[in-house]
Each structure stands twice: as C-alpha cells, then as structure tokens.
Amino acid sequence: VSTQINKNPAIIMPSLLSAPFARLGDSLNELERAGVSLFHYDVMDGHFVPNLAGSPGIIKKIQPHIQAQLDVHLMVDDPPRVIPWFDLDSVRSISIQVEASQDLERDLCTIRSLNKKAGVVINPLTCLESLEPFFEQVDYILVMTVHPGEGGQKLIKKALYGIKYCAKRRDELGCNFLIQVDGGVNQDTICSVHDAGADEIVAGSAIFDNDNPAEAFNNLNHLIGNQ
Ligand code: DX5
Ligand code: ZN
C-alpha cells in the first residue's frame, strides 16, 4: 500500500455548527487568538438534509465581533434563492452541493458576482465523475467525508478516495482549485485527510466538544505539521 504524504500545509476551519451559542463571541475570539482565520458555517434547509441550521442573521450579529472570515456550506435544495442572503462582508466563500443545483454553472457565476470564492460540494455516495464539468470553474471542491446533516459523525474511510481523486484530476488538468474536507475529522483521522491531499480541513465536534477548544485546535495543527 503506497501512502501519499501531503507536504503542503493545510488550514483548519472550526465549524460553527458545534460552537457554544451561549457564549459565541467569546468562544470565536479565543480561537482567533489561537490563529483561526476562517470559520466554516453550515446552512441546512430541512429538505436537502433532514435538519435546520445557519441563518444569515447570525452572521450579521457575529461579524462585527470577529476578524476571521466565514466559509459558507449550503446544504439546501434551492441554492439560487439562498445564495444572495449570504452576500455579507465576512463571507469569503460559498459552496453548493453538486446533488442539489439544477444549474450549477449559473449558481457558481452568481457566487462569483458577489465577489466570493465559489465551491462545489460532493457527498460520499455521489459519483465523482459528476464533478468533471466544474474542475475548471471552481475555487474549491468540498469533499464530504460524512453524510451531511449533523456534526459528530464518524469519518467514512472510503470517502478519502474522493480527496485523492480530486488531487489527481487537478494535476492532470493543471487547475488550481483548493480541496476542502468536511466531516468526522479529529485527532485520529486528520492525518489521513491531510495525506490524501486536503488544503482546508473542517473540524466541528473535535474542536468545540472539548474543554479547551483553542488547545484542541492547536493539537490538530500540530498533528499535520503546522507551527
Ligand atoms: C455536517 C457539516 C459539518 C459538521 C462537521 O453536515 O457539514 O460541517 O459541522 O462536524 P464534525 O467535524 O463534528 O464531523
Ligand atoms: Zn459543512
């Protein structure tokens, strides 16, 4: 078995889905002091996934209190309706699910027209070939390593292949999109995700379901060779 070791540095994005809402501002500021520059923000419409999360109203409330930017992950059936709601200063990037959109190309253009980075998300059971038309159009591909809908699930090992596949297609095509990975990342799995080729790694419960989230963030960074 050959192991591909990724020498490129990756950044870790805490997912606000697991954040303590009772003391959100303080908690995010603590993580910013530990070096977080980007938070992941999940949006769920109760249809594409059987759960609700992530109104733009929360971002409006929180953005005056943070320096970091937000990466918005839309798990919604109707991206064209929802995308404009996230035209907010602190939003760096918006991703849409390859399974959801009727017209991905149009929706990626809409995201770009808001001056946000545009990404496409793929679920663990979705055929990887469905990404083919988009490799040259996206700023990033988000490879889901759990079935989307909730935090705290176990990483699906087979989904690591999706990361390697995207890295291989990127080389072959000579494009420069980033590879983002989301779901089940913790201290036991982060190295396999990084080695497979991840550039941006989401971690929710592994950071926030911890007595000291900043320390958990530092430990994850240490494991992938940062600092
Ligand atoms: C799951 C979400 C994830 C979630 C990850 O559908 O897309 O962003 O917050 O949580 P963990 O890291 O706990 O698996
Ligand atoms: Zn997510």
Side-chain angles (χ1 to χ4, degrees), residues 46-69:
H47 294 274
F48 183 77
V49 286
N51 200 356
L52 286 169
S55 87
I58 294 173
I59 299 184
K60 287 182 197 157
K61 295 267 189 203
I62 202 72
Q63 68 183 4
H65 303 280
I66 59 172
Q67 307 280 314
Q69 290 187 298

Side-chain angles (χ1 to χ4, degrees), residues 15 17 40 42 44 73 75 144 148-153 182-184 202-205:
S15 171
L17 194 64
H40 182 79
D42 290 302
M44 304 180 187
H73 172 193
M75 286 161 272
M144 290 304 298
E150 54 188 307
Q153 303 180 72
D182 182 12
V202 177
S205 52

Side-chain angles (χ1 to χ4, degrees), residues 74-86:
L74 296 181
M75 286 161 272
V76 303
D77 268 338
D78 192 1
R81 199 161 73 94
V82 175
I83 289 165
W85 301 343
F86 290 90

Side-chain angles (χ1 to χ4, degrees), residues 118-129:
V120 168
V121 192
I122 186 156
N123 285 343
L125 294 178
T126 304
C127 173
L128 290 162
E129 278 77 34

Side-chain angles (χ1 to χ4, degrees), residues 30 37 46 53 63 119 138 142 165 189 194 203:
E30 283 161 22
S37 57
Q63 68 183 4
V138 292
L142 167 48
Y165 175 85
T189 58
H194 184 233

